[in-house]
Amino acid sequence: RSVYIFAKKNIQFDHKKISLFEGYQYGEEFGKINVLRKAPAIKDGDFCLAESIAIMMYLAEKFHTPDYWYPADLQKRARVNEYLSWQHSSIRICGSRILWFKLLIPKAMGVEVPKEKMDTAEENFDASLKLFEEKFLQDRPFIVGDQFSLADLVAVVEIMQPIGAGVDVFENRPKLKAWKDRVREEIGAELFDEAHQAILSLQEAVKTMDPKKMEPLKPKILKDLLS
């Protein structure tokens, strides 16, 4: 979602939507673009690149996007990099686990998530959000200060993930909600909502998912998330 939003705001591109739940990423065609078998990935001429953060940094440099995205100022850029480096093992993974544990594993795969796993996931996500507010946001409008940046974009799409499972992340967090509203305004409400449509409609979508299509992916997903 972050790469899609960033690209829509800055460049002309051809968007190809793939079905991860049907295992398209393990096919020969996608493997030629990204041997890591993950989305997103881009193909710029003969140059292929994976990993969302690397993709956005590449696009920002190549297309000379407005400075606020990835500031030239050394210390501002360092603040963006600081958040982007931290979020991989905190907000990103914790938000993703809430989505998988509360919705996708029990509803799409028919597997009960142990209570202790769910409790730990919720505790870790709450702790990550607390750190986000106290360390990265503080009393500023955005992570870097007065200007929106790549850090805010990456943060908001990850924090939105549990919403897909019916978890109101922003309840009782007025500072976080106010920040999200500012980010949505900066992105543009229409684009923000479009990019999150799949997440926001996921509870309905899982009702029509074919469990048989998930079977090839099931062992790996359960091993990675529940072991």
Side-chain angles (χ1 to χ4, degrees):
R1 292 181 301 282
S2 58
V3 171
Y4 178 76
I5 290 170
F6 180 77
K8 287 283 281 189
K9 296 288 287 186
N10 291 289
I11 67 173
Q12 294 291 322
F13 69 103
D14 294 321
H15 177 233
K16 184 167 184 178
K17 186 177 181 180
I18 68 171
S19 177
L20 297 175
F21 292 129
E22 294 183 15
Y24 180 86
Q25 67 272 31
Y26 296 111
E28 182 179 353
E29 183 182 355
F30 190 79
K32 292 176 181 177
I33 297 172
N34 183 10
V35 72
L36 300 177
R37 307 290 182 175
K38 294 181 179 181
I42 64 167
K43 189 172 188 293
D44 181 17
D46 294 329
F47 180 68
C48 296
L49 187 65
E51 294 299 319
S52 58
I53 304 302
I55 290 170
M56 288 186 287
M57 289 178 174
Y58 170 78
L59 296 176
E61 296 280 3
K62 175 170 181 175
F63 293 99
H64 306 289
T65 57
D67 185 73
Y68 63 83
W69 285 105
Y70 197 45
D73 179 88
L74 181 63
Q75 293 188 354
K76 288 182 178 180
R77 179 169 287 200
R79 287 298 181 204
V80 172
N81 289 338
E82 180 184 39
Y83 177 77
L84 296 179
S85 299
W86 174 78
Q87 58 91 28
H88 288 291
S89 59
S90 50
I91 292 288
R92 182 177 185 178
I93 193 169
C94 293
S96 177
R97 281 182 174 163
I98 296 293
L99 179 63
W100 279 97
F101 287 3
K102 279 193 172 291
L103 182 67
L104 295 174
I105 290 177
K107 300 297 183 181
M109 296 184 174
V111 175
E112 184 178 353
V113 175
K115 184 179 183 302
E116 61 272 18
K117 291 283 186 182
M118 190 71 253
D119 290 345
T120 299
E122 289 176 337
E123 289 171 7
N124 288 341
F125 187 56
D126 286 343
S128 291
L129 289 178
K130 188 172 186 290
L131 276 172
F132 177 78
E133 287 190 295
E134 294 180 356
K135 152 66 179 169
F136 292 98
L137 194 56
Q138 298 181 25
D139 294 320
R140 299 185 291 261
F142 301 104
I143 292 173
V144 174
D146 292 333
Q147 284 192 315
F148 168 79
S149 72
L150 270 182
D152 298 286
L153 173 59
V154 172
V156 80
V157 301
E158 301 300 349
I159 291 173
M160 286 289 291
Q161 281 202 90
I163 301 286
V167 178
D168 189 349
V169 176
F170 305 102
E171 185 179 18
N172 300 321
R173 293 189 178 99
K175 180 194 290 188
L176 191 68
K177 184 182 184 304
W179 163 81
K180 184 265 292 183
D181 291 342
R182 288 191 294 271
V183 171
R184 182 172 179 264
E185 184 178 353
E186 288 288 330
I187 291 169
E190 185 177 349
L191 176 58
F192 183 91
D193 294 344
E194 176 201 344
H196 288 91
Q197 183 179 4
I199 282 286
L200 298 176
S201 61
L202 202 51
Q203 291 181 83
E204 287 299 315
V206 294
K207 295 177 182 178
T208 59
M209 283 183 182
D210 184 356
K212 292 180 182 178
K213 292 183 177 179
M214 295 287 285
E215 283 300 317
L217 307 177
K218 191 172 176 179
K220 175 173 172 52
I221 290 171
L222 296 180
K223 179 182 178 182
D224 289 347
L225 294 176
L226 294 183
S227 63

